[in-house]
C-alpha cells in the first residue's frame, strides 16, 4: 500500500510496525500474554519470526520502516523480576531482543526499543536501570552484529500520559524522555524518541499505576505528526489502534486480569486485541483536539 501511495503521490512514505511476539511477553500481566514460551522452544521460534520480518522488509527497499520493538519488554526487565515468569525469562528475553536488533539492521529501518512510559519507568529508582538495561541489550546486539544500532526509544505505547501538558508527577512523557535521554547519551547511545498520544486526549482525570486497561476516561490525543515539543522526539505517533481492547472484563476468562475489572476500566470489555466498539466511541467523544465529523 505504501509503495502504491508513493507511486501515485510522489511523496516518500513511512510504514510503522510493531514487533510484538517476544516469548513470555507481558510476563507480569495476563490480558495480553503471547503465543511463544521459552519452555517450548520459544527462542528459536522467535528468531524465525524475526527472520520472516526481515524477508518482508527486504521486498520494499525504498520504503522507510519504523519498528517499535516489543512493547513493555524493558519495563518488565526493570521492575518485575520478582514475578517468577519475568525473572525466569529475563536473560533469554535480553538475548532475543539483542537478536532482533542485530538482525533488523537494514538500510531503510529505524528501530525504537521499548521505554514503557513515565508512570512506569520515569521514577528516580527506575530510570537509571532503564538506561542500563537498554545499553546492556544493545551491547549484546553488537556482539552479534558490530553494526547494530537503534534510533531510539518508543514510549507511552498503549498508555494515556500527556506530552508537556500533564501536571501530575510521573505522568508526562516530555519530562520522562528529557530525563532518560542524557542517561542513554552517557552510555554512548544517541537516542531519539517516538511518543504515542493515541489515547492521551484527556489529561484532566487523576491517574494511578493500575489504570492501564480500557481506561474509561481516555480520549484520542494529538494526531500523528513530526512537529514535536523537543528535537529529541522524532514524532508523535498512534501505535495502539483506538478500538482495540486491552483485555477482557470477564472474570471467568483464562486471560482475565484484575486491572480490566477495575473502577477505571470501561466494562463490559472483550479479549485483548479484539474490536471494542464502545471504547472506540468513548475515545471519539473525549478526543482532544476534537476529530471533525466527515459526512
Amino acid at each position: 500500500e505504501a509503495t502504491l501511495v508513493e507511486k501515485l503521490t510522489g511523496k516518500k512514505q513511512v510504514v510503522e510496525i510493531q514487533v510484538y511476539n517476544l516469548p513470555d511477553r507481558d510476563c507480569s500481566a495476563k490480558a495480553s500474554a503471547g503465543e511463544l514460551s521459552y519452555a517450548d522452544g520459544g527462542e528459536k521460534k522467535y528468531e524465525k519470526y524475526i527472520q520472516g520480518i526481515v524477508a518482508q522488509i527486504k521486498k520494499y527497499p525504498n520504503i522507510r520502516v519504523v519498528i517499535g520493538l516489543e512493547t513493555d519488554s524493558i519495563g518488565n526487565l526493570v521492575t518485575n523480576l520478582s514475578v517468577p515468569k519475568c525473572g525466569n525469562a529475563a536473560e533469554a528475553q535480553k538475548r532475543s531482543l539483542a537478536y532482533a536488533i542485530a538482525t533488523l539492521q537494514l538500510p531503510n529501518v529505524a528501530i525504537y526499543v521499548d521505554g514503557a512510559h513515565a508512570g512506569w519507568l520515569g521514577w528516580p529508582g527506575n530510570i537509571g536501570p532503564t538506561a542500563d538495561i537498554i545499553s546492556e541489550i544493545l551491547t549484546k546486539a553488537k556482539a552479534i552484529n558490530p553494526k547494530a544500532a537503534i534510533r531510539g526509544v518508543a514510549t507511552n505505547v498503549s498508555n494515556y500520559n500527556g506530552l508537556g501538558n500533564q501536571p501530575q508527577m510521573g505522568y508526562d512523557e516530555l519530562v520522562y524522555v528529557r530525563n532518560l535521554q542524557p542517561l542513554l547519551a552517557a552510555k554512548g547511545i544517541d537516542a531519539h524518541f517516538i511518543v504515542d498520544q493515541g489515547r492521551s486526549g484527556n489529561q484532566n482525570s487523576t491517574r494511578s499505576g493500575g489504570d492501564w486497561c480500557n481506561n474509561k476516561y481516555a480520549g484520542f490525543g494529538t494526531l500523528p505528526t513530526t512537529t514535536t515539543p523537543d528535537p529529541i522526539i522524532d514524532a508523535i505517533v498512534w501505535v495502539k489502534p483506538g478500538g482495540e481492547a486491552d483485555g477482557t472484563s470477564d472474570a471467568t476468562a483464562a486471560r482475565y486480569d484484575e486491572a480490566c475489572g477495575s473502577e477505571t476500566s470501561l466494562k463490559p470489555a472483550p479479549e485483548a486485541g479484539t474490536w471494542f466498539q464502545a471504547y472506540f466511541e468513548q475515545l471519539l467523544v473525549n478526543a482532544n483536539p476534537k476529530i471533525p465529523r466527515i459526512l
Side-chain angles (χ1 to χ4, degrees):
E1 183 179 342
T3 301
L4 178 61
V5 171
E6 187 170 297
K7 185 180 295 184
L8 292 175
T9 65
K11 296 180 179 179
K12 301 294 287 184
Q13 300 296 302
V14 177
V15 173
E16 181 188 349
I17 65 173
Q18 286 297 108
V19 173
Y20 186 54
N21 204 23
L22 190 68
D24 296 324
R25 77 177 190 201
D26 285 353
C27 53
S28 64
K30 303 168 186 173
S32 50
E35 64 175 345
L36 301 182
S37 169
Y38 287 107
D40 188 29
E43 189 161 2
K44 290 298 182 184
K45 292 175 183 177
Y46 186 73
E47 290 175 1
K48 290 183 178 180
Y49 165 75
I50 295 297
Q51 292 163 12
I53 294 171
V54 170
Q56 289 299 313
I57 293 174
K58 283 183 174 179
K59 294 178 181 179
Y60 304 96
N62 296 321
I63 298 296
R64 184 69 166 162
V65 178
V66 169
I67 292 177
L69 185 63
E70 300 296 349
T71 298
D72 292 345
S73 59
I74 303 298
N76 282 316
L77 286 167
V78 172
T79 68
N80 289 320
L81 297 186
S82 62
V83 177
K85 186 177 180 182
C86 295
N88 293 337
E91 291 306 313
Q93 287 188 337
K94 291 175 186 177
R95 289 196 304 271
S96 292
L97 290 167
Y99 179 85
I101 292 169
T103 307
L104 288 163
Q105 297 298 311
L106 298 172
N108 58 327
V109 169
I111 300 170
Y112 295 81
V113 299
D114 171 56
H117 58 84
W120 189 346
L121 297 181
W123 304 102
N126 292 339
I127 195 166
T130 298
D132 290 342
I133 287 179
I134 291 173
S135 177
E136 178 187 353
I137 291 168
L138 186 53
T139 298
K140 291 179 183 294
K142 289 179 181 293
I144 301 169
N145 178 356
K147 295 183 178 180
I150 59 172
R151 173 64 181 174
V153 179
T155 78
N156 203 46
V157 174
S158 299
N159 212 267
Y160 313 94
N161 296 337
L163 186 63
N165 60 345
Q166 174 51 262
Q168 189 178 347
M169 185 176 178
Y171 294 95
D172 193 293
E173 296 300 302
L174 184 58
V175 173
Y176 173 41
V177 301
R178 283 175 171 170
N179 289 338
L180 179 58
Q181 193 273 340
L183 298 178
L184 291 168
K187 296 180 179 297
I189 303 171
D190 181 21
H192 292 72
F193 298 84
I194 53 174
V195 181
D196 192 347
Q197 291 287 280
R199 303 196 296 181
S200 297
N202 179 12
Q203 293 302 309
N204 296 319
S205 61
T206 301
R207 297 292 311 285
S208 68
D211 63 359
W212 58 267
C213 190
N214 306 316
N215 188 294
K216 67 182 180 183
Y217 304 110
F220 286 122
T222 303
L223 293 173
T225 179
T226 54
T227 301
T228 72
D230 194 298
I232 64 173
I233 302 175
D234 286 337
I236 293 168
V237 296
W238 284 18
V239 177
K240 174 81 171 185
E244 186 177 278
D246 294 316
T248 181
S249 58
D250 179 1
T252 67
R255 295 203 302 169
Y256 173 70
D257 191 295
E258 291 78 6
C260 300
S262 73
E263 286 301 310
T264 59
S265 299
L266 187 67
K267 300 181 284 287
E271 287 281 358
T274 59
W275 186 254
F276 190 0
Q277 180 67 22
Y279 198 67
F280 176 75
E281 293 174 8
Q282 172 206 290
L283 292 170
L284 281 173
V285 170
N286 293 339
N288 182 24
K290 293 296 182 184
I291 297 176
R293 183 174 180 177
I294 300 175
L295 298 177

